[in-house]
């Protein structure tokens, strides 16, 4: 026999076997089990349920004060950094708006880096910062979206580009910033552009080839059910962007995806409920078939995006365990929905709200306040919460032991008055007299809050001094909550009391998403640092004291 006598052939076979092993290690079943396998982080949200909870407890209240940096990697990027690290087989994958990086998770050394180049006008279409929120991974490939509305697949081991598919022409006002979701064999992506007179959608792609499988539009038009909730052809520029990643229940085979604001912000120009702005959509991943929806803010004029879909949890309600979706909506109400059918189970304010008096539990609709009615009549009013919401885009986390949701909430209002909307392609399409936000002088501007989903009340709140936090949170079985500060500190607090137990200065503001993982019996905490994003765009002068610059940090107990 002469086969396989050459050492080069032996090497080729070994590499092929290694690639096959890696592919099996990133199967759909592994994605489904991501929340139970703390040695890796394979999904946005640290599991399909988006709970950002880890059963790891080697780092706990007793030893968290001994956390020290293991390594730090410079992203060589001065924009805001909102990427969630994905970790598999000793490799960590992180994105910026221009690059995709594979890092050795144990040493911080770069394995490969792929850079993107954009036409100068692309940056005009990014509403709220030049950023990207991370990758998806499956069968030896990593996937990302781009500001010029493309989806790209890379080889996870080498960084070689495998395919690139265009979702839509970015010049129409679209951009892509979210991490993809892979469920039931389909790669799914959303779209940004709610401020540019666009029509939102969610796309399903073949992860092997990049072929588009389906598109679910998020404004109802033509023969779509709900088209009568839009006057004339306003749905074609009606917004409902989908720029954050959804959640997935494999048992129900339902993907849950949040939608954003209507366009223009001036809702008098699009009178009606405007389905499906500010909603959660439950659909089949194989086909994009819509199964049910719930609309949080019909005819929303306040930019109360519902793009951060929330978390899938199990709660005991009226003596019975229910599969629910919980969401701290930007409109200031904390919602609990039966995720099998979209039925409203609870809706209570978790921050100050004056645009609505309450949520009608029979209809699920907000009861408009006198403030809202005066605005519709042309008045100039102070509205709570502000355009940034009771909580902005940053995800919450869940701890099943405490039954609490942990999120960074905001305490701000904004002045609101209608103006005439004028559509110009590639420019903001608002139709209001936009004057920023009001920050109270005698109160904190934001809190890290531990919220009871059924009541909206906080068991405890940790006030942020000065600037509020726009970072995500991470909960662990060690009784800890990790998050970051706008001034650069990554911190850990006691999940039961809110007592700060540890902090470390990373050198730039944190608006990213912490994760935890383990290797050889040792637990690690990783987070991306790099100030910017929507808060920086509002022009808070205190941001001048926080240096720019993106980096990745990993910590462990010494």
């Amino acid at each position: 026999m002469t086969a396989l006598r050459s050492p080069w052939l032996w090497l080729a076979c070994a590499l092929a076997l290694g690639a096959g092993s890696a592919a099996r290690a990133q199967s759909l079943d592994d994605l489904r089990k991501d929340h139970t396998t703390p040695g890796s982080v394979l999904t946005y949200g640290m599991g399909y349920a988006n709970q950002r909870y880890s059963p790891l407890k080697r780092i706990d209240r007793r030893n968290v004060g001994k956390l020290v940096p293991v390594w730090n990697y410079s992203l060589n990027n001065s924009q805001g950094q909102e990427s969630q690290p994905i970790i598999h087989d000793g490799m960590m994958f992180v994105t910026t708006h221009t690059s995709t990086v594979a890092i050795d998770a144990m040493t911080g050394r770069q394995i490969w880096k792929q850079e993107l180049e954009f036409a100068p006008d692309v940056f005009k279409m990014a509403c709220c910062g030049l950023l990207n929120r991370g990758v998806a991974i499956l069968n030896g490939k990593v996937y990302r979206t781009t500001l010029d509305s493309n989806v790209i697949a890379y080889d996870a081991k080498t960084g070689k580009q495998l395919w690139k598919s265009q979702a839509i022409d970015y010049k129409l006002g679209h951009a892509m910033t979210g991490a993809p979701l892979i469920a039931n064999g389909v790669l799914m992506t959303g779209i940004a552009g709610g401020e540019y007179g666009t029509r939102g959608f969610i796309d399903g792609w073949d992860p092997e080839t990049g072929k588009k499988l389906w598109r679910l539009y998020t404004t109802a038009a033509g023969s779509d059910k709900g088209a009568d909730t839009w006057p004339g052809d306003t749905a074609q520029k009606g917004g409902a962007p989908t720029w954050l990643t959804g959640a997935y229940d494999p048992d129900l085979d339902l993907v849950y995806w949040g939608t954003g604001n209507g366009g223009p912000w001036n809702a008098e120009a699009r009178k009606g409920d405007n389905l499906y702005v500010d909603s959660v959509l439950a659909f089949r991943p194989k086909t994009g078939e819509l199964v049910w929806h719930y609309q949080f803010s019909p005819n929303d004029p306040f930019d109360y995006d519902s793009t951060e879909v929330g978390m899938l949890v199990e709660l005991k309600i009226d003596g019975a365990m229910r599969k629910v979706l919980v969401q701290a909506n930007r409109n200031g109400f904390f919602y609990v929905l039966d995720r099998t059918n979209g039925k409203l189970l609870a809706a209570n304010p978790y921050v100050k709200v004056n645009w609505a008096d309450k949520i009608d539990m029979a209809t699920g609709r907000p009861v408009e306040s006198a403030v809202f009615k005066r605005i519709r009549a042309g008045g100039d009013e102070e509205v709570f919460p502000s355009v940034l919401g009771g909580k902005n885009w940053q995800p919450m986390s869940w701890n099943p032991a405490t039954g609490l949701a942990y999120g960074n909430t905001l305490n701000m209002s904004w002045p609101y008055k209608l103006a005439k909307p004028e559509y110009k392609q590639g420019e903001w399409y608002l139709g209001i007299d936009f004057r920023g936000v009001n920050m109270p002088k005698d109160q904190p501007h934001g809190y890290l809050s531990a919220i009871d989903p059924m009541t909206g009340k906080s068991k405890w709140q940790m006030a942020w001094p000065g600037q509020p936090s726009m970072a995500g949170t991470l909960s662990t079985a060690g009784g800890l909550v990790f998050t970051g500060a706008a001034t650069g500190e990554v911190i850990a607090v006691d999940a039961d009391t809110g007592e700060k137990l540890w902090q470390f200065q990373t050198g730039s503001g944190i608006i990213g998403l912490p994760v935890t993982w383990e290797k050889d019996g040792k637990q690690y905490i990783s987070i991306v640092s790099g100030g910017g994003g929507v808060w920086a765009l509002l022009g808070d002068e205190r941001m001048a004291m926080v240096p720019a610059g993106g980096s990745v940090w990993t910590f462990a107990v010494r």
Side-chain angles (χ1 to χ4, degrees), residues 254-300:
L254 285 177
V255 169
Y256 306 88
W257 211 289
T259 70
N261 60 283
W265 287 3
N266 184 339
E268 297 302 292
R270 47 178 169 83
K271 289 185 177 181
D273 281 358
N274 308 141
L275 293 174
Y276 299 92
V277 306
D278 293 343
S279 299
V280 57
L281 308 182
F283 60 87
R284 302 294 180 200
K286 280 292 187 184
T287 63
E289 174 196 0
L290 184 63
V291 176
W292 61 259
H293 80 278
Y294 179 89
Q295 189 173 41
F296 301 98
S297 303
N299 192 233
D300 165 41

Side-chain angles (χ1 to χ4, degrees), residues 374-385:
R374 290 196 294 269
I375 285 172
R376 289 199 188 278
D380 193 339
E381 298 286 334
E382 182 181 20
V383 177
F384 288 88

Side-chain angles (χ1 to χ4, degrees), residues 6-16:
S6 164
W8 297 110
L9 287 174
W10 277 108
L11 178 60
C13 285
L15 290 173

